Amino acid sequence: KPSPRRGRRDGERESRRSPKEGRMAPVSMRTKASHAVEKRAKVVRPKHRKGSKSQRTKVVREVIYEVAGLAPYEKRLLDMIKTGGASAEKRMYKFAKMRLGSHKRAVKKREDMKDIYAQIRARQAMEK
């Protein structure tokens, strides 16, 4: 004859389906809470700021861009915008992906080039 508890831990009943996950999660049925525990403050670790640009890096990159200008492949991307056409965005993406190696980098570079082109157009409009 099987045990009436069927392997459940003390104070738990049948599992309910968790709304966030597809798997079953045990639901606690304890009437008494366990001993009080003080919440510990989370420590700021280096991994939490990883990937964010520092102010110094941002300034250095701006200076380099002002001095050196665009790379040859970036100029080609700008030319693709200027010539336009229905598939200009796709061609820009494919070219950038070939040069940069990943989808994320290519999409970001395409957006950056579109922003630079918009700045150039705005500057030209101001001069006229």
Side-chain angles (χ1 to χ4, degrees), residues 102-120:
S102 78
H103 170 78
K104 261 187 172 178
R105 289 176 182 174
V107 170
K108 187 167 182 353
K109 182 60 74 174
R110 181 180 66 184
E111 297 307 313
D112 290 347
M113 288 297 110
K114 283 164 54 177
D115 292 344
I116 289 172
Y117 185 65
Q119 289 172 359
I120 292 170

Side-chain angles (χ1 to χ4, degrees), residues 76-120:
R76 281 184 64 182
L77 285 169
L78 279 179
D79 286 341
M80 288 179 191
I81 295 175
K82 287 174 187 170
T83 55
S87 61
E89 296 245 339
K90 186 175 180 180
R91 281 189 299 120
M92 284 174 65
Y93 164 75
K94 287 176 88 171
F95 181 75
K97 185 164 188 264
M98 188 175 69
R99 293 300 162 105
L100 298 172
S102 78
H103 170 78
K104 261 187 172 178
R105 289 176 182 174
V107 170
K108 187 167 182 353
K109 182 60 74 174
R110 181 180 66 184
E111 297 307 313
D112 290 347
M113 288 297 110
K114 283 164 54 177
D115 292 344
I116 289 172
Y117 185 65
Q119 289 172 359
I120 292 170

